[in-house]
Amino acid sequence: MALRSFAEALGLLGKKPLVWMPGLFAAFAVLLTYYVFALFGATAGLATGAAMLFLSPAFLAGAYGIIIGDASSPADFRKYAIYGYFRCLITNLLILMIGFVLSNTLTYILLMTGISMDIAMYFSIFLIVPLIFFFFFADISAIVHNLAPFRALKDSAFRVAAGSFKITAFYLFNIALIFAVFFIFTAVWSVLASDALLPLAEMTEAEILALSQAELLALFAAPEILSSGAIALAVCCLMFVPVFVSYKACFYKHHLLDLSSREPQESEEGSFDEKGRWYKYS
């Protein structure tokens, strides 16, 4: 089930070139943010990164639309991007806000009970896991079913709960992909930064342990190290963001779209209209 959706997602990378757009934008955003940071400082870099994050939902919505709506033209991509931008943006911002508030509240409560900061942080991070698990498809629900943000969160949670084993397999595949991303990032970064890392490679274990935090920070904050990291991250974004986005949309289309978000009823079948809105057949 999950494997079949993954195979279809990989096939779409060749059949529908526009699904590469989120990856192209993510790679561009990483490089632009880094070079603005390097040339104009942290404030300008932070502002650029924030602007890129606020633009990214348009590319996600466009990719979701052409996959679930079985379209492929640039006009269709643009239509879905415009229609789904605010639905995707506001829904994802709401998830981030809920995660931030809950994790900080839990951290504060645990600190008040005398638990150390490290343990409190671990518990707070663990709290984010169920949020991701149940709300991962909220942005697609908001677009496909034209739902308000809170209703989209509820809809995603119900569909995930109804998905049972298929959802678990889907998340396991995504975790495997994350490990693959980390491996490729490390390999590309190591190759690009080999000259800058050479002094560290020539040190003995005792010499490395003798380095102070300031010396280690200065070593890894060298321009060659940072630029290599930015390029490696851009390469991973270009390669894997389209895979993640396509896999998510394909899985939702085949395994969650026909699940009721409230009570048993007929499968939801329909299509997008000319404005990108989803209409269920009666």
Side-chain angles (χ1 to χ4, degrees):
M1 298 176 182
L3 183 59
R4 187 160 56 246
S5 295
F6 182 68
E8 180 184 354
L10 293 179
L12 288 177
L13 299 180
K15 295 177 182 178
K16 296 185 177 183
L18 286 172
V19 300
W20 287 92
M21 288 299 294
L24 287 168
F25 177 79
F28 169 76
V30 168
L31 294 177
L32 178 64
T33 301
Y34 167 73
Y35 285 111
V36 170
F37 172 83
L39 294 174
F40 302 105
T43 302
L46 182 62
T48 302
M52 294 296 101
L53 285 176
F54 274 94
L55 288 175
S56 61
F59 294 88
L60 293 177
Y64 294 153
I66 63 173
I67 293 172
I68 297 177
D70 291 322
S72 58
S73 70
D76 290 322
F77 186 93
R78 183 171 60 252
K79 175 180 63 179
Y80 298 135
I82 294 172
Y83 167 75
Y85 172 72
F86 282 108
R87 290 166 178 79
C88 188
L89 172 65
I90 296 174
T91 302
N92 285 317
L93 284 177
L94 180 60
I95 295 172
L96 290 175
M97 186 181 303
I98 292 174
F100 177 81
V101 172
L102 290 179
S103 63
N104 279 274
T105 302
L106 179 60
T107 300
Y108 178 76
I109 294 173
L110 292 175
L111 290 175
M112 291 293 292
T113 60
I115 294 178
S116 67
M117 174 62 77
D118 292 338
I119 297 177
M121 289 297 294
Y122 285 130
F123 275 103
S124 299
I125 293 174
F126 184 76
L127 180 66
I128 304 299
V129 175
L131 290 180
I132 297 175
F133 186 87
F134 286 105
F135 296 157
F136 187 67
F137 297 97
D139 53 354
I140 298 184
S141 289
I143 295 170
V144 171
H145 303 287
N146 193 21
L147 299 176
F150 280 104
R151 289 189 62 195
L153 298 186
K154 181 180 178 181
D155 185 82
S156 174
F158 273 107
R159 292 177 190 276
V160 167
S164 64
F165 175 75
K166 294 181 291 186
I167 291 291
T168 303
F170 170 79
Y171 284 121
L172 289 175
F173 269 101
N174 277 277
I175 292 172
L177 283 174
I178 291 172
F179 278 107
V181 172
F182 179 76
F183 175 79
I184 292 178
F185 170 81
T186 303
V188 175
W189 178 68
S190 299
V191 171
L192 295 176
S194 58
D195 291 339
L197 292 174
L198 187 60
L200 186 64
E202 294 176 344
M203 292 182 181
T204 64
E205 182 178 354
E207 291 174 331
I208 294 175
L209 293 175
L211 293 174
S212 65
Q213 290 185 350
E215 290 173 330
L216 285 173
L217 180 61
L219 177 63
F220 284 99
E224 297 85 356
I225 299 291
L226 294 179
S227 62
S228 299
I231 294 172
L233 181 58
V235 169
C236 289
C237 287
L238 179 61
M239 293 175 59
F240 285 96
V241 168
V243 177
F244 280 110
V245 172
S246 300
Y247 186 28
K248 178 179 177 180
C250 288
F251 185 84
Y252 187 94
K253 177 181 178 180
H254 294 298
H255 301 295
L256 300 183
L257 184 61
D258 61 341
L259 293 177
S260 172
S261 62
R262 283 170 288 278
E263 57 187 24
Q265 48 183 251
E266 293 183 0
S267 298
E268 294 184 358
E269 297 182 359
S271 63
F272 287 98
D273 68 0
E274 68 280 357
K275 293 183 179 180
R277 293 174 297 189
W278 177 268
Y279 282 92
K280 187 177 72 171
Y281 299 141
S282 58

